[in-house]
Amino acid sequence: MKFDTPATTNPIDQLKVVGQPVDRVDGPLKTTGTAPYAYEHPVPDAAYGHVIGAAIAKGRITSMDLAQARAAPGVLAIVTADNAGKLEKGEHNTATLLGGPEIQHYHQAIALVVAETFEQARAAAHLVHVEYERGRGAFDLAAEKGSSIKPKPGIGGEADTAVGDFASAFAEAPVQLDATYTTPDQTHVMMEPHASIAKWDGDRLTVWTSNQMVAWGTKDLAKTLGIPKENVHLMSPYIGGGFGGKLFLRADVLLAALGARAAKRPVKVALQRALMINNTTHRPATIQRIRLGAAKDGRLTAIGHESWSGDLPGGEPETAVSQTRLLYAGANRMTSMRLAVLDLPEGNALRAPGEAPGMMALEIAMDEMAEKLGMDPVEFRLLNDTQVDPEHPKRPFSQRHLVECLRKGADHFGWAKRTARPGRSRKGRWLTGLGVAAAFCNNLLMKSAARVRLDHRGILTVETDMTDIGTGSYTVIAQTAAETMGLPLDKVVVRLGDSRFPVSCGSGGQWGGNNSSSGVYAACIKLRQAIAKKAGIDEDDAVFSDGHVTAGSKRMTLAELAGESGLAAEDQIEYGDLAERYQQSTFGAHFVEVAVDAFTGETHVRRMLAVCAAGRILNPKTARSQVIGAMTMGVGAALMEGLHVDKRRGFFVNHDLASYEVPVHADIPHQEVIFLDETDPVSSPLKAKGVGELGICGAAAAVANAIYNASGVRVRDYPVTLDKFIDRLPEAA
Amino acid sequence: MSLNGAPPMQPPETHDLSRRDFLVLGTSTVASAAVTSDMPAQEAPAAASTQDAAAPATAKASFQVNGMPCDLELDTRTTLLDALREHLHLTGSKKGCDQGQCGACTVIVNGRRINSCLTLAVMQQGSEVTTIEGLGTPEDMHPLQSAFVKCDGYQCGYCTAGQICSAVAMLDEIKAGIPSHVTEDLTQAPQLTPPELRERMSGNLCRCGAYSNIFDAINEVAGGQA
Amino acid sequence: MKAFTYERAASPAEAAAAATRRPGAKFVAGGTNLLDLMKLEIETPVHLIDVNGLGLDKIEPTAEGGLRIGALVRNTDLAADERVRRDYGVLSRALMAGASGQLRNMATTGGNLLQRTRCPYFYDTNQPCNKRVPGSGCGAIDGFNRQHAILGVSEACIATHPSDMAVALRVLDATVETIRADGERRTIPIADFHRLPGDTPHIETVLRPGELITAVTLPPPVGGTQLYHKVRDRSSYAFALVSVAAIVQSDGSGRVALGGVAHKPWRVEAAEAELPHGAAAVAKKLLEGAKPTQENAFKLKLVERTLAAVLAEAKGARL
């Protein structure tokens, strides 16, 4: 199905199942511990692999003594770059997954020790003796900023954009802001470590893994091993969180496959938690300079946003300026991205890449500018709304309800009660304050395929290689299929995450829900045609409802039409040029109340509200969960999350879950989410858009702005930890 | 054996373990240890000559899991978590960090919640262990399991077993009068207030950020006092 | 984790004797820190002596009117004990500020005192650490050290002791009881129990090889308002940036000790004389000789402000 004209009325609009807050269909398995994650598939005779990571950030292995480890009890094989055979690099990998002799980053995998038991593999790994020759590396973004270069156009578009005459407009603006913000390296730390089981049958490889993008993972595994893609069967039915950290082939899969080949046994590998952070990918740190110029009435006349980030050679920039090209009106504008070479672990996507750190900076800048103008920060944003792409004024947004989000949120949250002057609201020990930020995240369109099969019991089975990383894919796909086919939800079985199924969009970039469901919709429409044909009725007259198809006086059950042989259909959604003709984005507004300890600067979030306009909400229950989860990650980004770089040795020091702090229960209050009643016929037949990343965009800035409102102290360097402002906090006693 | 994307509505193939299976599994562990002592002669001396490569010591561990007696002979290094997951094939308890820093491995031992990654199986001699599998099944869920489904108190599901086991024991801790960091008056019995519930559940990380919903689920089962 | 043999000891004397018999043996109680370190081979005992069956899990009144806490009393049970909550509130509060519900159910009184630093360079075996490998250098001093010690530091080590409980015990003037293989028992004041790093940071306490903690004794209650304020980056389940244990009497006199600032709980009796003069005066004395790094210098201000918070709270409680 090619989607190239805006959707009109279609079966989804019935909203009997779609749009309903149904419980997750995989809920009973997840809550009883019976959903099998990657490491848990019962594969007989599996041996255990333990990964060894490089002890240096850059340089060479000069010797590797495996003798003692090989002789250790239970050891079956040791895989190193020396004995693994020729390996290619995956299309989506920047650094190689098995390092040596050259080392590209700290904890880059250099060996896998395979043994009969987990305990034996772990102990033997400690007996591998490695000598290195340290190379000189670059590890400090601020120090390398000057040597950064203009990157090639990539996923975030051109490195530089310009409209009008920014320099003059900024210079002439009566009210100006010129401020620099920094965001730290952040890590996904999903609860399930990267884990895989690999098993060879001759030259055919089966892997159970935890990967968001089954087709990418399959292709890159085959490419890396130098075997045909058809020989790889990859399964990833349950994924214990990804957030972008499991988009790509990682060392666990490759090493499990190599280990299994060497040991001639199935092998299980889970990355050790303390290895994960430096071994895998992370969200790169940024330095962002924002310049805003406005007339005295508050209208922006100049918007400039520059961002610097670093990555390994061959890597890409963190596209932190992308939202600034689209979010606010302003005739004169420029954005710029520069990329430094850093020898830290590989930078890559983490929930809302580009937009999440970009909004952390931009939305503090907007708060600061509103204050300079003496305007309410909500009103300032309302005044500078645009309904067209500001760089291409003839190109409208498909839907844009930022103004409504801000108004509704302000009203609902009691924004009017906010004391505009900062540091004026104290109750006992606590300084309290309110903060606001816009939310913005683009809606991306990706091809996505599925097949559906109706059997003689009237049960519809959906198969697609789509993944559910906690997003609710199983459920919204079941809802989509049930709605389209006129079946109750319990007559739909959804099977995901298998490379033998049609290739979907996968889970990433908040594109999963809309695109994968649209692909399932396309397959179901094809099946409806087949059913109508078999029933001998005109497809346009056929009504699918309650497990029946009806046309005029003719009424038959789907089960009988399917017959013993069943009926199947496969199709994909693909898109025309609607994304070029219309800018497709999602919008929202975050409101936050914080209390800052007047003595110590400890911050507690007391209330949070997000109002979102993100197209049709396919399942308000799971969509709400996506948003509160993203808001929680936003609280982490605001208050505690940051990888600390040892700039001499070149690694992230706080590489475990005790030292890389993420929010705990006690940090998160009741969170409220309001979805505006929006449908977007330009986005897909489902009229839905993404929502999983929208919730993090702006959330951290809203917290930071609330801290300013509470304490009067502005921090432009995330996370806003008390050490950065305790010396500026007013006297408490 | 493969689970090609288990359909979400039915439980996937699981190990149906009887007490006999437990014994067999335990024995197989010993057998694999024995295999390793038959290493080729030229490689054996290194193993024997250094303390580093000493053959794994094993010890007996007998405890009950979900009411079922388990007699295992295990490498002494085996944690309770790995005994459950790798030897008893009860994979509901999750390994999130293996360092006591996440709570995904929380199980209830003798009525108390603990991190099963930070205790050795051999140290649990005579213990009564309850895991998520012992609380309920997809067909017959524990009230907290049902409440988590209803309130969407999870997303990826990997911390969920730990959250639920933790919550079951946490509610008992309040009943037993055990105070917490946020208990204002130490001389009074603690109450199930929202700050109490959140503080007491803070040993269970949820990176998906389902906390607000987990709170609702626990609160609903606890009678909505918070 | 290196292979080890395992035994369960039946009495304190037997445990101590077993430890002497087997060089390289270690006692295991809660295991919450030891097993973590064994997995990383930072601790490599060849033999583990499980002391959980020693019966040292009672809290009993002493003849002097204090409490004797068995070394195996779990953190949860100690914090929940009615007598502790009533008479030694600072101890109950410090315990509850530490770790998580799960870990407090496992961790013991003796083990808590013996937990090792959480310095990330100590934990990362690729990095230099004089505490882990004497003479290898210190990664933290010129590395990332925001969490590290500002007091009592040496050229060799700037690690902190992570315990909250020990800070409360310090302010309560507790004593530690031990037994050795030869049956010799001794009593160590908590002030002397932990060592400063000096040039031997790997030696953290005054315990001798094979010596087993059997109990911690609290002197008779001293009354007052007892508070423990732990400042951290998140609201729970985190180690302290700075913590203050305080006992403040109705006349404004009292005792304070700090956590998160040194290789041991930090108490300066002379500083306590300044309590009636306010937090700044106390902090000045407490922080005498402080040697912060650029990254942890904020702790100086934070100590003063946390003290101010505690004194304000104590004052509020007295009103």
Side-chain angles (χ1 to χ4, degrees):
Chain A
M1 179 184 286
K2 182 149 189 185
F3 185 74
D4 51 11
T5 50
T8 54
T9 303
N10 66 37
I12 298 295
D13 293 321
Q14 301 172 89
L15 299 181
K16 287 182 192 163
V17 193
V18 168
Q20 301 303 315
V22 302
D23 293 344
R24 284 174 203 255
V25 296
D26 49 343
L29 299 187
K30 284 183 172 175
T31 56
T32 56
T34 45
Y37 293 81
Y39 200 76
E40 299 164 359
H41 291 271
V43 178
D45 201 32
Y48 293 79
H50 191 93
V51 181
I52 301 177
I56 62 167
K58 192 174 165 73
R60 293 178 68 78
I61 295 172
T62 52
S63 76
M64 214 166 178
D65 180 359
L66 307 180
Q68 218 186 342
R70 279 206 175 112
V75 170
L76 301 166
I78 301 176
V79 176
T80 69
D82 254 356
N83 63 26
K86 184 170 160 23
L87 297 174
E88 300 288 323
K89 196 176 74 176
E91 197 181 306
H92 294 278
N93 298 123
T94 306
T96 55
L97 297 177
L98 177 60
E102 191 200 346
I103 299 301
Q104 293 163 294
H105 63 88
Y106 193 66
H107 276 174
Q108 184 175 27
I110 56 167
L112 182 81
V113 178
V114 181
E116 292 282 350
T117 72
F118 172 73
E119 292 75 21
Q120 290 169 337
R122 181 177 57 192
H126 284 269
L127 301 175
V128 172
H129 303 290
V130 189
E131 299 290 332
Y132 301 90
E133 185 182 290
R134 275 177 202 270
R136 286 169 66 100
F139 309 117
D140 182 354
L141 176 62
E144 301 303 320
K145 188 177 165 228
S147 65
S148 59
I149 54 131
K150 181 175 164 179
K152 291 191 302 245
I155 200 162
E158 293 287 333
D160 292 339
T161 64
V163 174
D165 180 355
F166 170 78
S168 306
F170 181 72
E172 288 157 18
V175 184
Q176 296 174 333
L177 173 82
D178 182 350
T180 297
Y181 305 86
T182 57
T183 63
D185 297 286
Q186 294 176 331
T187 179
H188 313 82
V189 285
M190 68 300 277
M191 298 308 297
E192 181 203 25
H194 298 76
S196 298
I197 304 175
K199 177 173 171 273
W200 289 90
D201 298 292
D203 58 358
R204 298 194 162 259
L205 174 63
T206 304
V207 296
W208 293 264
T209 187
S210 186
N211 188 299
Q212 299 172 227
M213 303 291 292
V214 166
W216 291 3
T218 307
K219 197 174 162 199
D220 267 351
L221 181 54
K223 179 171 187 267
T224 308
L225 291 168
I227 62 173
K229 194 175 72 173
E230 295 66 36
N231 287 16
V232 176
H233 183 195
L234 184 148
M235 285 167 281
S236 183
Y238 291 95
I239 298 170
F243 314 113
K246 293 176 181 167
L247 284 169
F248 316 114
L249 186 76
R250 298 302 319 167
D252 56 308
V253 202
L254 177 64
L255 291 174
L258 294 171
R261 188 152 73 185
K264 301 183 174 59
R265 291 259 297 268
V267 168
K268 305 167 70 150
V269 177
L271 294 187
Q272 306 91 281
R273 178 59 67 175
L275 190 82
M276 268 175 69
I277 287 175
N278 284 282
N279 177 271
T280 67
T281 61
H282 67 282
R283 188 203 298 286
T286 65
I287 299 170
Q288 300 179 50
R289 182 189 187 196
I290 295 179
R291 283 174 290 172
L292 300 175
K296 286 200 166 134
D297 67 356
R299 281 181 204 282
L300 289 168
T301 54
I303 301 175
H305 193 164
E306 297 155 87
S307 174
W308 291 262
S309 61
D311 202 354
L312 287 168
E316 292 196 36
E318 179 70 20
T319 56
V321 302
S322 59
Q323 71 292 320
T324 308
R325 297 174 60 184
L326 292 162
L327 189 49
Y328 296 112
N332 304 285
R333 40 206 314 139
M334 64 81 66
T335 68
S336 161
M337 294 184 282
R338 290 293 177 269
L339 178 63
V341 169
L342 291 180
D343 299 296
L344 291 170
E346 177 175 336
N348 219 310
L350 198 172
R351 201 173 201 163
E355 288 142 334
M359 291 293 278
M360 286 166 79
L362 178 64
E363 288 300 289
I364 293 188
M366 289 296 284
D367 202 62
E368 295 200 58
M369 192 65 177
E371 190 180 34
K372 278 181 182 270
L373 287 158
M375 286 182 77
D376 179 274
V378 172
E379 292 302 321
F380 178 51
R381 288 177 174 87
L382 295 179
L383 184 69
N384 287 290
D385 185 48
T386 173
Q387 291 296 311
V388 295
D389 173 352
E391 290 181 2
H392 308 95
K394 292 204 173 125
R395 182 168 174 259
F397 283 92
S398 60
Q399 295 281 333
R400 177 172 165 128
H401 298 288
L402 174 62
V403 164
E404 292 82 349
C405 290
L406 284 161
R407 286 217 169 101
K408 187 162 194 106
D411 186 44
H412 195 83
F413 203 68
W415 181 255
K417 293 194 194 112
R418 171 179 177 263
T419 309
R421 275 190 74 186
R424 296 294 155 144
S425 187
R426 181 168 171 179
K427 286 186 194 100
R429 235 172 90 191
W430 300 102
L431 300 161
T432 58
L434 304 187
V436 67
F440 172 92
C441 193
N442 278 328
N443 181 60
L444 303 176
L445 301 179
M446 301 271 284
K447 267 198 311 203
S448 195
R451 67 173 164 248
V452 289
R453 198 175 64 244
L454 184 67
D455 72 12
H456 68 283
R457 299 164 301 169
I459 288 176
L460 183 81
T461 301
V462 184
E463 291 177 338
T464 164
D465 82 357
M466 181 58 189
T467 51
D468 190 329
I469 59 174
T471 38
S473 311
Y474 276 113
T475 309
V476 296
I477 284 173
Q479 288 175 275
T480 301
E483 190 78 75
T484 312
M485 299 310 301
L487 285 168
L489 199 56
D490 63 6
K491 296 288 186 205
V492 180
V493 173
V494 180
R495 290 154 60 89
L496 300 181
D498 188 317
S499 62
R500 291 183 176 169
F501 299 159
V503 175
S504 72
C505 57
S507 298
Q510 78 166 5
W511 65 58
N514 180 42
N515 292 286
S516 68
S517 301
S518 294
V520 170
Y521 171 81
C524 286
I525 292 294
K526 214 168 188 180
L527 182 63
R528 283 167 58 119
Q529 291 162 354
I531 290 168
K533 192 174 170 199
K534 191 161 182 192
I537 57 181
D538 189 333
E539 179 198 339
D540 295 334
D541 300 335
V543 176
F544 289 77
S545 178
D546 303 323
H548 291 74
V549 59
T550 313
S553 58
K554 216 167 180 182
R555 181 173 164 86
M556 301 169 83
T557 67
L558 297 187
E560 62 184 294
L561 282 165
E564 277 307 312
S565 56
L567 278 172
E570 181 172 336
D571 201 3
Q572 67 173 358
I573 191 81
E574 54 190 323
Y575 298 92
D577 65 350
L578 287 172
E580 283 78 53
R581 281 156 56 200
Y582 297 87
Q583 174 56 39
Q584 297 190 22
S585 305
T586 59
F587 295 87
H590 287 288
F591 291 84
V592 170
E593 178 180 333
V594 301
V596 178
D597 189 314
F599 290 92
T600 61
E602 291 159 278
T603 297
H604 295 282
V605 176
R606 288 197 169 163
R607 289 196 297 143
M608 292 188 95
L609 164 69
V611 184
C612 302
R616 172 174 280 153
I617 299 304
L618 301 175
N619 181 334
K621 186 176 282 196
T622 55
R624 178 180 176 279
S625 287
Q626 283 293 289
V627 177
I628 66 168
M631 290 157 78
T632 300
M633 218 177 252
V635 171
L639 297 180
M640 63 195 79
E641 288 186 38
L643 290 167
H644 296 288
V645 180
D646 183 317
K647 297 186 180 103
R648 293 188 334 118
R649 299 174 187 86
F651 73 112
F652 298 130
V653 180
N654 50 334
H655 54 69
D656 62 25
L657 277 168
S659 54
Y660 185 85
E661 294 184 17
V662 299
V664 296
H665 274 277
D667 292 305
I668 302 301
H670 175 73
Q671 294 166 318
E672 218 175 331
V673 179
I674 297 171
F675 292 111
L676 294 190
D677 191 9
E678 176 185 302
T679 50
D680 192 339
V682 172
S683 69
S684 76
L686 270 68
K687 304 170 188 172
K689 288 189 287 203
V691 75
E693 300 190 338
L694 177 64
I696 191 174
C697 296
V703 175
N705 292 338
I707 292 173
Y708 175 72
N709 183 242
S711 66
V713 181
R714 182 69 77 183
V715 177
R716 299 189 183 92
D717 172 26
Y718 286 100
V720 187
T721 46
L722 58 88
D723 50 313
K724 293 174 185 166
F725 63 89
I726 187 113
D727 57 337
R728 289 187 278 155
L729 210 53
E731 280 306 311
Chain B
M1 275 314 265
S2 83
L3 303 171
N4 301 325
M9 271 67 70
Q10 33 192 281
E13 207 174 319
T14 50
H15 292 272
D16 182 18
L17 293 174
S18 64
R19 177 157 186 268
R20 186 181 145 73
D21 290 325
F22 285 0
L23 289 163
V24 170
L25 286 161
T27 311
S28 76
T29 308
V30 183
S32 66
V35 168
T36 61
S37 62
D38 294 335
M39 297 282 290
Q42 67 272 26
E43 291 185 50
S49 66
T50 64
Q51 189 63 54
D52 286 349
T58 61
K60 284 194 162 58
S62 303
F63 44 83
Q64 287 204 355
V65 180
N66 302 327
M68 204 179 298
C70 305
D71 298 302
L72 300 169
E73 171 108 21
L74 293 168
D75 186 320
T76 52
R77 296 172 289 190
T78 313
T79 61
L80 175 59
L81 177 62
D82 286 327
L84 293 169
R85 283 171 61 85
E86 305 302 324
H87 297 266
L88 300 175
H89 302 282
L90 293 167
T91 55
S93 306
K94 300 305 181 200
K95 187 183 280 193
C97 69
D98 215 14
Q99 295 179 287
Q101 299 173 352
C102 79
C105 67
T106 303
V107 300
I108 304 167
V109 174
N110 302 329
R112 288 259 177 113
R113 53 179 172 162
I114 67 163
N115 298 114
S116 60
C117 74
L118 283 187
T119 189
L120 297 171
V122 292
M123 290 166 65
Q124 295 306 327
Q125 187 65 26
S127 291
E128 289 180 18
V129 180
T130 303
T131 69
I132 191 72
E133 292 93 341
L135 292 177
T137 62
E139 298 75 33
D140 182 21
M141 289 195 277
H142 184 279
L144 263 166
Q145 291 169 323
S146 304
F148 268 62
V149 173
K150 182 185 160 197
C151 299
D152 215 34
Y154 57 93
Q155 290 172 39
C156 80
Y158 203 77
C159 75
T160 312
Q163 300 276 358
I164 293 172
C165 286
S166 187
V168 167
M170 181 275 294
L171 293 173
D172 287 343
E173 286 170 12
I174 294 184
K175 279 190 201 126
I178 293 168
S180 86
H181 172 59
V182 298
T183 306
E184 282 185 22
D185 186 346
L186 283 180
T187 63
Q188 301 295 311
Q191 304 298 310
L192 184 61
T193 63
E196 284 281 3
L197 195 156
R198 292 191 177 108
E199 160 60 24
R200 290 166 188 270
M201 288 301 296
S202 287
N204 292 87
L205 303 186
C206 170
R207 184 56 163 165
C208 295
Y211 294 130
S212 188
N213 290 355
I214 295 172
F215 174 92
D216 290 347
I218 299 171
N219 196 39
E220 185 172 298
V221 171
Q225 298 142 297
Chain C
M1 193 183 290
K2 286 204 193 308
F4 58 86
T5 48
Y6 169 87
E7 74 173 286
R8 296 180 194 97
S11 74
E14 188 191 308
T20 311
R21 265 200 315 274
R22 292 288 302 271
K26 280 223 168 239
F27 302 118
V28 63
T32 55
N33 193 206
L34 179 61
L35 291 181
D36 188 19
L37 295 171
M38 284 168 63
K39 289 175 185 179
L40 298 164
E41 298 199 3
I42 294 167
E43 298 276 8
T44 52
V46 298
H47 182 67
L48 270 193
I49 303 158
D50 185 337
V51 296
N52 285 295
L54 301 191
L56 302 172
D57 52 1
K58 293 169 194 66
I59 306 174
E60 296 159 325
T62 63
E64 295 74 34
L67 281 182
R68 186 168 182 275
I69 304 155
L72 293 166
V73 174
R74 309 283 150 176
N75 287 180
T76 298
D77 295 316
L78 182 55
D81 185 89
E82 255 178 58
R83 295 159 292 186
V84 174
R85 285 154 74 177
R86 186 186 63 221
D87 298 330
Y88 306 97
V90 66
L91 177 57
S92 186
R93 293 208 178 279
L95 284 160
M96 286 304 179
S100 67
Q102 290 92 315
L103 290 165
R104 293 191 297 266
N105 283 338
M106 308 168 80
T108 63
T109 308
N112 189 311
L113 287 174
L114 295 176
Q115 65 181 305
R116 308 199 66 188
T117 185
R118 292 285 165 169
C119 173
Y121 295 89
F122 174 70
Y123 261 78
D124 188 333
T125 51
N126 292 327
Q127 301 304 327
C129 174
N130 288 320
K131 186 184 280 294
R132 179 166 32 78
V133 183
S136 63
C138 172
I141 287 174
D142 57 9
F144 167 63
N145 51 37
R146 174 176 178 263
Q147 302 264 10
H148 286 71
I150 55 174
L151 289 158
V153 297
S154 72
E155 297 289 309
C157 181
I158 57 170
T160 58
H161 193 263
S163 170
D164 293 295
M165 182 192 82
V167 185
L169 292 181
R170 180 69 181 91
V171 90
L172 288 167
D173 284 332
T175 53
V176 182
E177 293 178 20
T178 67
I179 186 169
R180 298 188 68 195
D182 56 8
E184 183 199 326
R185 292 174 181 271
R186 63 170 175 154
T187 299
I188 308 163
I190 186 76
D192 302 333
F193 185 82
H194 294 104
R195 300 173 76 255
L196 287 177
D199 51 13
T200 54
H202 59 292
I203 305 171
E204 293 165 350
T205 70
V206 297
L207 291 185
R208 286 166 288 188
E211 193 169 6
L212 176 71
I213 300 176
T214 52
V216 170
T217 300
L218 302 178
V222 294
T225 301
Q226 303 203 1
L227 299 168
Y228 189 76
H229 192 133
K230 179 177 184 179
V231 182
R232 42 191 163 178
D233 287 322
R234 65 182 178 196
S235 303
S236 189
Y237 200 17
F239 294 99
L241 295 169
V242 155
S243 69
V244 172
I247 301 175
V248 184
Q249 303 297 343
S250 54
D251 62 1
S253 69
R255 308 172 182 180
V256 290
L258 303 177
V261 296
H263 203 250
K264 60 190 286 189
W266 197 259
R267 184 173 169 197
V268 178
E269 274 79 353
E272 290 165 3
E274 302 290 335
L275 273 171
H277 304 120
V282 180
K284 193 166 172 234
K285 287 260 178 185
L286 265 174
L287 298 172
E288 258 173 27
K291 282 192 187 139
T293 66
Q294 197 184 338
E295 272 176 341
N296 70 16
F298 74 94
K299 289 191 177 186
L300 299 172
K301 194 77 189 165
L302 184 58
V303 163
E304 182 188 328
R305 295 189 73 113
T306 310
L307 272 167
V310 166
L311 295 183
E313 194 180 342
K315 198 169 176 185
R318 289 202 303 275
L319 291 177

